[in-house]
Amino acid sequence: MKAVIDNQLAAQLLFDHKLATREEILASWPFITAEKDVGAILVERGLLPAQTYHQMMVYLQTNSPAPQAHTPTPGTAASPAESPRKDSSAGGVTHDARSSQKGPRAKPHGQKNENVVELSLTDEPNPGSAPSDETWSPAPVEKTQPIATPSLTPTQSSQRNPAVTSAEFRGGASSGNIPAVAPEAIAREPIAMGATGPQSGWNELLAYARHSDASDLHLSAGNPILLRRYGHLQAAGSTPMDQESLRRWAESALDGKQWEEFDAKGDLEIIYTLEGHGRYRVTLMKQRRGFDITARVIPARIRSFDDLGLPESCRELSHWAQGLVLLTGPVGCGKSSTLSTLVDMVNRERHDHIITIEEPIEILYEPVNCRITQRQIGPHTLSRDAALRAALREDPDIIVISELRDLDTIRLAVSAAETGHLVFGTMNTTNAGRTIYRLIDSFPPEEQGIIRNMISESLRGVISQQLLSRKDGQGMIPAFEVLLVNSAVGNLIRKDEAHQLGTAMITGKAAGMVLLDDSLRNLVERGLIDPALAMSRANNPKDFERYVGKGGR
């Protein structure tokens, strides 16, 4: 039988250690039952790492007194899993993954639940409850008396414990090993998955991937379940997958029209929403041995500027009225996370019209001060260039393009930036200099002189980033390169001397420019990444090798 904990005390502990925000705790509070405490609900929603939750449970069971009257009266589990429904925002499918036990449904947040007393959280951390650097082992915490819920400043509500999550792009703190082996029954016949059939096993795998702090889930016939965790593929179990189970899971994830498209084309990309466990970008493709399924775990929340660890100079890039801002880096380096943070900053700080053009829509933005229009290639428009042409007639202030990958898209993005719009876009280039060359070389030779002039005038900045495994195996940490376009940089672009941008960036350090190699050195000096790994990512490996030889750790 599961031990009963004091939910009020657990909530205060999570809040004090910035492992959950007030809003996340309040949203979870009405769903507390005898079987699920506030921490378990946060884990289900992908907001709290499972390992952190287990550490908290051990601490509370060891150090806290028995729960008092303010612990919610036991209820029962929510309704059984519902059939999938379309996610109209991104052309995906939404599924309910809640418990199948019978009983009254928990009341949604905002409705009065008479069995649950009002939650109270104090803004002042309890003395002695500061988190440790490596493990979550707080000192004893005194219970707080119920008080009126105080309002939090934006910084307080959004910032989490830096020692736990600030250096990680995905998930929270946990060890470098997968915390538990995936149930072997998942890889066998669907009859072993329970009464709900193959969809239950598919949903369970997606939830398992999120709770394991993985970035990707890989399924293929003849291989065990694989998770990409902190940049490395790791097997979860040893039983190889069979093609028939993969087919059943694929059919359960797709609607009829999507299955027909996949069967005809041989590959398909969709957004799959699992209620209570977030959104996933699922890619299917046919191959020699059948087909593969890969699911990318989409972050459950938009991280704040400070959470991402972006250089302070990047903040100003969201304040421009017009121009082009590019986020670049290799595939899987967190460009989408950084882009969503900048868009969210604009949404909160300005009163403008934002149009996004995405393939597919990953992050769902809720309008705060801006009007936000999100469009997906396929369901909402035929192509990027068609969407861009249409966007220019929709009175936008900010245009967000998920990827500048072809000549027509780049041409329209530069034109939009020149005609009074702020344009954000991403490119798969590794540093600022290569980004400039990629932009210009996309055009025919006879147009490149004109484009150099246009880019020198319209480009505002380039943020290039790399994502590296932490030395202690506790997650991933980003390294950044920041190019801010001033008159000197614009002049180099105009004269086709982008190879001298490194010198201009050294000169511009006082203005907020950052070289990737300097960012890597900083991480090495702080003991966060391995010097050999840093050297393999450096723009100038020979210089970096000399630095490491002179005492870089």
Side-chain angles (χ1 to χ4, degrees):
M1 181 177 178
K2 182 176 179 178
V4 178
I5 69 165
D6 187 328
N7 281 285
Q8 172 72 46
L9 184 56
Q12 185 68 52
L13 200 61
L14 291 166
F15 180 66
D16 284 351
H17 290 270
K18 296 178 179 166
L19 295 170
T21 65
R22 180 188 300 281
E23 292 80 6
E24 291 167 349
I25 295 172
L26 288 175
S28 304
W29 198 253
F31 298 96
I32 296 172
T33 67
E35 292 78 25
K36 292 183 181 180
D37 52 63
V38 63
I41 295 169
L42 288 168
V43 169
E44 275 193 358
R45 295 184 174 189
L47 300 173
L48 181 69
Q51 182 173 349
T52 304
Y53 168 64
H54 292 315
Q55 291 173 347
M56 182 191 75
M57 288 290 291
V58 171
Y59 170 77
L60 286 175
Q61 291 166 16
T62 304
N63 295 278
S64 63
Q68 301 299 318
H70 61 262
T71 299
T73 301
T76 54
S79 63
E82 299 174 0
S83 59
R85 61 180 184 273
K86 292 288 291 179
D87 180 357
S88 59
S89 66
V93 182
T94 303
H95 296 255
D96 192 328
R98 289 171 293 186
S99 169
S100 59
Q101 294 176 325
K102 295 182 179 180
R105 185 186 300 271
K107 295 187 179 183
H109 181 55
Q111 296 184 18
K112 183 67 175 177
N113 186 338
E114 295 178 357
N115 291 330
V116 182
V117 301
E118 183 177 357
L119 170 68
S120 64
L121 296 174
T122 64
D123 286 320
E124 293 298 327
N126 292 298
S129 65
S132 66
D133 290 336
E134 299 297 333
T135 59
W136 197 85
S137 54
V141 178
E142 296 180 359
K143 294 171 62 174
T144 57
Q145 297 300 319
I147 59 172
T149 302
S151 60
L152 285 174
T153 64
T155 300
Q156 288 173 304
S157 65
S158 62
Q159 185 178 358
R160 290 171 176 261
N161 178 8
V164 176
T165 61
S166 64
E168 301 173 37
F169 262 55
R170 301 185 183 94
S174 56
S175 68
N177 298 318
I178 297 176
V181 174
E184 291 290 337
I186 289 178
R188 293 198 288 269
E189 290 299 319
I191 193 170
M193 299 176 192
T196 55
Q199 184 175 304
S200 172
W202 168 244
N203 290 343
E204 183 178 353
L205 270 180
L206 292 177
Y208 170 74
R210 183 178 294 277
H211 296 162
S212 297
D213 204 13
S215 63
D216 299 270
L217 167 70
H218 292 265
L219 306 174
S220 62
N223 293 309
I225 298 165
L226 296 175
L227 298 179
R228 184 172 296 278
R229 199 160 183 269
Y230 306 152
H232 304 288
L233 279 177
Q234 301 178 22
S238 57
T239 304
M241 307 289 294
D242 64 87
Q243 186 62 33
E244 186 58 29
S245 294
L246 283 175
R247 183 181 181 87
R248 290 193 181 102
W249 288 348
E251 289 176 342
S252 73
L254 305 179
D255 60 29
K257 184 177 179 181
Q258 290 170 337
W259 179 258
E260 290 177 4
E261 182 181 352
F262 170 62
D263 196 41
K265 294 182 178 180
D267 51 64
L268 182 70
E269 185 177 63
I270 65 167
I271 292 294
Y272 187 93
T273 301
L274 183 59
E275 188 165 332
H277 298 277
R279 293 161 61 82
Y280 303 80
R281 189 181 73 205
V282 179
T283 303
L284 301 92
M285 67 177 183
K286 293 182 180 179
Q287 48 107 334
R288 179 177 62 86
R289 302 177 64 180
F291 54 83
D292 289 352
I293 303 176
T294 303
R296 166 65 56 87
V297 179
I298 298 174
R301 67 184 182 94
I302 299 175
R303 289 181 177 263
S304 70
F305 186 92
D306 294 328
D307 275 347
L308 286 184
L310 283 163
E312 190 64 27
S313 56
C314 296
R315 195 184 298 272
E316 297 301 316
L317 293 175
S318 67
H319 297 164
W320 285 97
Q322 64 183 64
L324 178 63
V325 177
L326 296 177
L327 294 94
T328 75
V331 174
C333 72
K335 296 187 296 293
S336 296
S337 295
T338 304
L339 180 62
S340 65
T341 295
L342 294 178
V343 173
D344 189 59
M345 288 173 60
V346 172
N347 184 26
R348 296 179 182 279
E349 297 173 1
R350 297 170 61 163
H351 295 78
D352 290 325
H353 181 199
I354 303 172
I355 297 180
T356 74
I357 301 167
E358 305 172 67
E359 188 181 12
I361 294 174
E362 295 188 4
I363 303 294
L364 300 182
Y365 299 104
E366 293 296 330
V368 180
N369 292 319
C370 290
R371 176 192 168 193
I372 302 180
T373 303
Q374 290 187 262
R375 305 191 72 197
Q376 178 171 316
I377 309 301
H380 307 143
T381 182
L382 292 176
S383 62
R384 283 181 174 80
D385 58 316
L388 263 171
R389 294 179 195 279
L392 294 174
R393 297 191 292 270
E394 293 294 328
D395 186 33
D397 299 289
I398 295 100
I399 301 174
V400 180
I401 308 168
S402 62
E403 185 179 348
L404 302 178
R405 65 168 62 166
D406 55 59
L407 174 59
D408 289 337
T409 305
I410 294 173
R411 189 193 304 274
L412 285 168
V414 174
S415 298
E418 277 217 320
T419 55
H421 306 89
L422 180 59
V423 179
F424 290 98
T426 70
M427 296 182 72
N428 294 326
T429 50
T430 56
N431 59 39
R434 292 189 178 99
T435 301
I436 302 300
Y437 281 121
R438 169 77 181 278
L439 280 173
I440 296 170
D441 290 346
S442 299
F443 291 83
E446 62 272 16
E447 297 182 34
Q448 290 181 4
I450 297 173
I451 291 301
R452 286 192 196 94
N453 286 329
M454 294 175 67
I455 292 175
S456 70
E457 296 292 336
S458 61
L459 186 64
R460 300 298 178 223
V462 178
I463 303 173
S464 296
Q465 61 188 66
Q466 302 268 350
L467 206 55
L468 304 99
S469 300
R470 289 176 57 110
K471 191 175 181 179
D472 58 7
Q474 295 288 317
M476 305 288 284
I477 190 165
F480 295 100
E481 179 168 278
V482 180
L483 170 69
L484 303 177
V485 180
N486 53 24
S487 58
V489 171
N491 194 43
L492 291 175
I493 295 173
R494 194 161 41 248
K495 292 182 176 181
D496 194 17
E497 296 177 352
H499 60 279
Q500 296 186 27
L501 284 176
T503 302
M505 293 174 70
I506 293 173
T507 306
K509 284 183 180 180
M513 297 197 206
V514 179
L515 289 166
L516 176 64
D517 290 10
D518 288 344
S519 181
L520 291 170
R521 285 172 184 160
N522 178 265
L523 295 176
V524 169
E525 289 170 358
R526 290 162 57 193
L528 296 176
I529 61 174
D530 186 83
L533 175 61
M535 188 166 63
S536 70
R537 302 291 187 90
N539 286 331
N540 297 295
K542 291 184 178 179
D543 291 344
F544 209 92
E545 185 176 16
R546 286 195 292 270
Y547 157 73
V548 171
K550 290 180 180 179
R553 289 187 288 179

